[in-house]
Structures are given as C-alpha cells and as structure tokens.
Amino acid sequence: MRFALVAALVAAVAASAGCASRPINERIDKVDPTRGYRADLRVANRPNNDSRTLLILAFSGGGTRAAALSYGVLEELRRTEITVGGERRWLLDEVDLISGVSGGSFTALAYALYGERLFDEYEARFLKRDVQATLVARTLNPFNWPRLVGGSYGRSELAAEYYDEILFEGATFGSLLDKPTPMAIVTATDLSTGARIVFAQSDFDLMCSDVQKVPLSRAAAASSAVPIVFSPVTFNNYGGTCGHQFPDVGDLHRPHSRSRPAGRALMRLGELRALERSGERPFIHAVDGGVSDNLGLRGVMEGIEFLEASPAFRQSAGLDRLDRVAVIVVNARSAPRTDWDRSESPPGIIAQLLQASSVPIDRNSYELVQMMKDTAERWEAQRDLLIARLRLAGVPDAEIDSRIRRLAAFAIDVNFDAIADPDERAEFMNLPTTFSLPPETVDRLREVAGRLLRKSPDYQRLLEDFRRP
C-alpha cells in the first residue's frame, strides 16, 4: 500500500514537472579581448604581487583526497614567509594562477572565491562533510527521478546544485573578477574529442559564450563528472558567430629558440578551432577533466611552449619581465594494492575497466611531470651555455649581466611517492577516490602535504632564490 502511494505520487510529480532542463550558457555577439575572466588580464594585474615572479599551482584529481592534499599545500604556503623588495610577505600572496582538476578544482575555485575566508570554513563546509552520501541519497530520492529521466538534466546537474548549497553560494566566474585572489583555471574533458575544456573566457570565446555567467558549481561538477558514475555536463556551442580571431601563430611554426615547431601548442590550437564549428557541434558534452589531464598541468606545459617559441607571446603577456617561474604540482595519485597476480583467474569486469582507465591516466601524469622538470633544466642549461659563450668571447661579466636576463625555473612535485616511511606511504597510496573521508584522514592529508612541500629540494631552492639580493 505504501509503495503504491509513493509510486502514484512520483507519477503525479513526473506528469506535472515533465523533463527537467539544464542551465543554458549565455551567448555573446562580439568577442572583447579586453574584458572577462582571462589569464592574461588576471595575472598581469594581480594587486600586491611581485610582477617578476610567476608562481603556478596545479591541483590534481582524486576526490576528497586531492582536495585535502591541495588545501594542505595552500596552508603551508600561507605559513611560509618570504621577502620581496625588502618587504616581508607570505608565499601564498605570490601565487598567480591555480589549475584544478576534479577534486582539486574544488580547492582552486573555493580559494579564488573566498581567499582568507577559506581557511576558516573549507574543512567544515566540504572536506569533512560526507558529500558522497548526500549525492547518493539525492539520486535515489524518488522526488528527483522525474528530473533525471529524459531531457538534458542529469546526475551532474543534481550534484552541481548540492555543491552550490554547501560551498559556492550561487557564485559565478563573474563573481571572481573583482577578487584579489589568484585566477582559478578549472578543466573538464570534451567527451567527443578528448580535448580539454577550460573554464576561462579565452576558451569560451571559441564557443561564443560568456563564462562570467557560468556557476562555479557547474564548472566543478563538469570537472569531476567521472564517466558512468556522473552524467556529462552539456553546454550550448555558438562558435563561429561572434567574430573570434586567432592570433598570428607563425612563430610557432618557425620558433625563435627551438629546433622544431612548437607541436604541443599547435595541437592545442587545432583542438580549439574545432569548437568554432558550431554547425557540426551545437552541443559540447563535458566529463571529468582527469580523462584528458589529471594533473591540471597540460595547459601549463602548452603555455610554457608558447613562452619558449614565441617572443611576441612573451611580450604581449608581459612575461619578458620575469625573474623566476615556479610550478608546484600537487599530485594526489593513489595506487591501491591488489592481489590479482596471486590468482590464476583474472579480476572481474568492473575492476578491469577501472584499471584500464586509471593506469594510462597515471602514466600520462608521470610523463607530464617529467617534461615539466626537463623544461626547467633546459632553461637553466641554455642560459648557462649562453653566458659561457659570451665569457669565451671576452665579454665582461658586468656587460653579460646587462645583456642576459636571469630567469630561474623551478619544477616542484608534491606526491605520496616522496613519503620516506614505507608503511605511511602505503597508507596514503591506498586511500580511495571518493568524496567522503574520515575527518582524521583529512587532517593527516593536510599535514603530509605541508611536510612533503617543505622537504622538496626544488621548493627549498625556490625559497633560497627569494632570499637573493
């Protein structure tokens, strides 16, 4: 009797509500490169920030594990004192940009929105809340079923509503424009092409859409929309109708300081051009950003390739004034133990699917970190070689200093592999990827994040560089 009553009630709600509709991203008629949530505008105009330093944080995916580890790094940077121009500051003040994927996107967006307020509220509002249990309960609630059946509204839209309630308070990317905090670059993955979708106006220009009106909660939901578990987040594509023009990229084909074309940057330009074909692709379906880049580092590497290959890009972005570039990658990769190799029978289908997706992602992440470190070493080596040649030619050191701009590069990797104690390392490596962890585990992740950062030799080199006259 009770079941029949509930079924009848659900049927009545479904009949009256029909199929729920997703939010529709707004269209723009004309691209204006001087306005909007853009990296070149935000980084160049950061208040109370050393313009000679570019400090980037990259927060990986990994659910609450990633959110807590990245939060611990923010806490450590907030405790670290440096001196800039004779003034004592905190290293967190020098962060220019935070790239976030999946679980890391929540920390990136929340800090961009709240700044100092984050350190009073984030634990209770998100990190130590059982987010996963609530999402499951709302999905199983019969009153939500009519919204989830048919139409373009899916489980990720339901999740976005919840993220808005507990963390983002209705904020959009437009809400971040007047904030003194770093720019948050959140990425998802284009389900059709596998390309990255970046929630910044420069990428939304290609879709002729206004990212300022996109809720932060929807960006976080798209970035963490694990395929099958969550539904894709769908955006309207109006590309090719707002007069967008790509900049001249001739020097990427004929690079100034490289022996070959800037292939990674050129490939990204090809992906972006595909967004302008709205006649063929009127809708873009976004899923978990970890599918295309689980570290949030690929965009950074593409930017570095632009920086290396194009003097015009360096000058237009104001990067020719830099003395130091530092990237801190917070990689919450885990590797739970299995006993598959002890049995003649292979693991089940679900386990195989999970492993088949996680292994390529982890290996791709490892390669990205190594490329970042190789690039930092190459910059240092190129500068040293040029100085050595000038000295051999008899150029005085004073003249060399005036002709060769000093640019120090730092590639800092924070991950569980660096934990010295094997038992402690295994404990963190076996943490699940979920949006629910015990409060004491969250606290331990915060502590180990700060400890790993402090023990990093590259991080200590960065601090020493700030102490240079």
PDB file of all heavy atoms in Angstrom, residues 2 83 95 161 250 316 321 346 369 371 373 468:
ATOM      1  N   ARG A   2       1.918   1.251   0.903  1.00  0.00           N
ATOM      2  CA  ARG A   2       2.794   2.404   0.973  1.00  0.00           C
ATOM      3  C   ARG A   2       3.544   2.585  -0.338  1.00  0.00           C
ATOM      4  O   ARG A   2       3.711   3.707  -0.826  1.00  0.00           O
ATOM      5  CB  ARG A   2       3.779   2.225   2.132  1.00  0.00           C
ATOM      6  CG  ARG A   2       4.720   3.413   2.307  1.00  0.00           C
ATOM      7  CD  ARG A   2       5.640   3.204   3.508  1.00  0.00           C
ATOM      8  NE  ARG A   2       4.852   3.105   4.731  1.00  0.00           N
ATOM      9  CZ  ARG A   2       5.387   2.830   5.923  1.00  0.00           C
ATOM     10  NH1 ARG A   2       6.683   2.597   6.018  1.00  0.00           N
ATOM     11  NH2 ARG A   2       4.629   2.758   6.995  1.00  0.00           N
ATOM     12  N   THR A  83      60.712  37.458   1.516  1.00  0.00           N
ATOM     13  CA  THR A  83      60.963  38.895   1.407  1.00  0.00           C
ATOM     14  C   THR A  83      60.969  39.283  -0.064  1.00  0.00           C
ATOM     15  O   THR A  83      61.692  38.691  -0.873  1.00  0.00           O
ATOM     16  CB  THR A  83      62.311  39.264   2.044  1.00  0.00           C
ATOM     17  OG1 THR A  83      62.297  38.896   3.422  1.00  0.00           O
ATOM     18  CG2 THR A  83      62.558  40.759   1.931  1.00  0.00           C
ATOM     19  N   VAL A  95      51.185  33.591  -5.399  1.00  0.00           N
ATOM     20  CA  VAL A  95      50.551  32.659  -6.344  1.00  0.00           C
ATOM     21  C   VAL A  95      49.736  33.464  -7.362  1.00  0.00           C
ATOM     22  O   VAL A  95      48.883  34.270  -6.994  1.00  0.00           O
ATOM     23  CB  VAL A  95      49.658  31.640  -5.613  1.00  0.00           C
ATOM     24  CG1 VAL A  95      48.929  30.753  -6.620  1.00  0.00           C
ATOM     25  CG2 VAL A  95      50.486  30.794  -4.662  1.00  0.00           C
ATOM     26  N   GLU A 161      23.915  21.444  -8.035  1.00  0.00           N
ATOM     27  CA  GLU A 161      23.007  22.129  -7.107  1.00  0.00           C
ATOM     28  C   GLU A 161      23.471  21.954  -5.664  1.00  0.00           C
ATOM     29  O   GLU A 161      23.441  22.895  -4.862  1.00  0.00           O
ATOM     30  CB  GLU A 161      21.587  21.587  -7.270  1.00  0.00           C
ATOM     31  CG  GLU A 161      20.901  21.991  -8.555  1.00  0.00           C
ATOM     32  CD  GLU A 161      19.471  21.472  -8.609  1.00  0.00           C
ATOM     33  OE1 GLU A 161      19.019  20.853  -7.620  1.00  0.00           O
ATOM     34  OE2 GLU A 161      18.813  21.691  -9.642  1.00  0.00           O
ATOM     35  N   GLY A 250      52.549  32.308 -36.512  1.00  0.00           N
ATOM     36  CA  GLY A 250      53.604  31.944 -37.444  1.00  0.00           C
ATOM     37  C   GLY A 250      54.888  31.548 -36.756  1.00  0.00           C
ATOM     38  O   GLY A 250      55.610  30.661 -37.222  1.00  0.00           O
ATOM     39  N   SER A 316      53.535  40.217 -25.261  1.00  0.00           N
ATOM     40  CA  SER A 316      52.125  40.584 -25.114  1.00  0.00           C
ATOM     41  C   SER A 316      51.570  40.162 -23.763  1.00  0.00           C
ATOM     42  O   SER A 316      50.704  40.821 -23.200  1.00  0.00           O
ATOM     43  CB  SER A 316      51.294  39.953 -26.238  1.00  0.00           C
ATOM     44  OG  SER A 316      51.312  38.537 -26.123  1.00  0.00           O
ATOM     45  N   ARG A 321      59.376  40.173 -18.487  1.00  0.00           N
ATOM     46  CA  ARG A 321      59.921  40.841 -17.304  1.00  0.00           C
ATOM     47  C   ARG A 321      60.258  39.865 -16.185  1.00  0.00           C
ATOM     48  O   ARG A 321      60.746  40.264 -15.134  1.00  0.00           O
ATOM     49  CB  ARG A 321      58.896  41.844 -16.754  1.00  0.00           C
ATOM     50  CG  ARG A 321      58.403  42.869 -17.724  1.00  0.00           C
ATOM     51  CD  ARG A 321      57.559  43.909 -17.008  1.00  0.00           C
ATOM     52  NE  ARG A 321      56.416  43.318 -16.348  1.00  0.00           N
ATOM     53  CZ  ARG A 321      55.220  43.213 -16.905  1.00  0.00           C
ATOM     54  NH1 ARG A 321      55.041  43.628 -18.142  1.00  0.00           N
ATOM     55  NH2 ARG A 321      54.205  42.687 -16.244  1.00  0.00           N
ATOM     56  N   PRO A 346      41.585 -13.995 -13.660  1.00  0.00           N
ATOM     57  CA  PRO A 346      41.753 -12.545 -13.747  1.00  0.00           C
ATOM     58  C   PRO A 346      40.662 -11.825 -12.954  1.00  0.00           C
ATOM     59  O   PRO A 346      39.635 -12.423 -12.600  1.00  0.00           O
ATOM     60  CB  PRO A 346      41.622 -12.276 -15.245  1.00  0.00           C
ATOM     61  CG  PRO A 346      40.765 -13.394 -15.753  1.00  0.00           C
ATOM     62  CD  PRO A 346      41.115 -14.594 -14.917  1.00  0.00           C
ATOM     63  N   VAL A 369      54.879  15.448 -15.587  1.00  0.00           N
ATOM     64  CA  VAL A 369      55.757  15.966 -14.537  1.00  0.00           C
ATOM     65  C   VAL A 369      57.210  15.926 -14.996  1.00  0.00           C
ATOM     66  O   VAL A 369      57.976  16.882 -14.786  1.00  0.00           O
ATOM     67  CB  VAL A 369      55.574  15.174 -13.231  1.00  0.00           C
ATOM     68  CG1 VAL A 369      56.634  15.561 -12.208  1.00  0.00           C
ATOM     69  CG2 VAL A 369      54.187  15.417 -12.643  1.00  0.00           C
ATOM     70  N   MET A 371      58.307  16.019 -18.078  1.00  0.00           N
ATOM     71  CA  MET A 371      58.513  17.045 -19.108  1.00  0.00           C
ATOM     72  C   MET A 371      58.662  18.419 -18.471  1.00  0.00           C
ATOM     73  O   MET A 371      59.473  19.242 -18.922  1.00  0.00           O
ATOM     74  CB  MET A 371      57.340  17.037 -20.089  1.00  0.00           C
ATOM     75  CG  MET A 371      57.401  15.924 -21.114  1.00  0.00           C
ATOM     76  SD  MET A 371      56.223  16.148 -22.468  1.00  0.00           S
ATOM     77  CE  MET A 371      54.677  15.851 -21.620  1.00  0.00           C
ATOM     78  N   LYS A 373      59.891  19.073 -15.477  1.00  0.00           N
ATOM     79  CA  LYS A 373      61.229  19.140 -14.888  1.00  0.00           C
ATOM     80  C   LYS A 373      62.307  19.276 -15.963  1.00  0.00           C
ATOM     81  O   LYS A 373      63.275  20.030 -15.794  1.00  0.00           O
ATOM     82  CB  LYS A 373      61.468  17.897 -14.029  1.00  0.00           C
ATOM     83  CG  LYS A 373      60.589  17.838 -12.786  1.00  0.00           C
ATOM     84  CD  LYS A 373      60.897  16.607 -11.952  1.00  0.00           C
ATOM     85  CE  LYS A 373      60.062  16.610 -10.671  1.00  0.00           C
ATOM     86  NZ  LYS A 373      60.353  15.433  -9.816  1.00  0.00           N
ATOM     87  N   ARG A 468      67.741  35.856  -2.361  1.00  0.00           N
ATOM     88  CA  ARG A 468      68.828  36.501  -3.111  1.00  0.00           C
ATOM     89  C   ARG A 468      68.619  38.014  -3.152  1.00  0.00           C
ATOM     90  O   ARG A 468      67.486  38.482  -3.195  1.00  0.00           O
ATOM     91  CB  ARG A 468      68.866  35.977  -4.553  1.00  0.00           C
ATOM     92  CG  ARG A 468      69.308  34.530  -4.675  1.00  0.00           C
ATOM     93  CD  ARG A 468      69.038  34.019  -6.077  1.00  0.00           C
ATOM     94  NE  ARG A 468      69.734  34.817  -7.081  1.00  0.00           N
ATOM     95  CZ  ARG A 468      70.897  34.477  -7.617  1.00  0.00           C
ATOM     96  NH1 ARG A 468      71.487  33.362  -7.243  1.00  0.00           N
ATOM     97  NH2 ARG A 468      71.458  35.229  -8.530  1.00  0.00           N
TER      98      ARG A 468
END
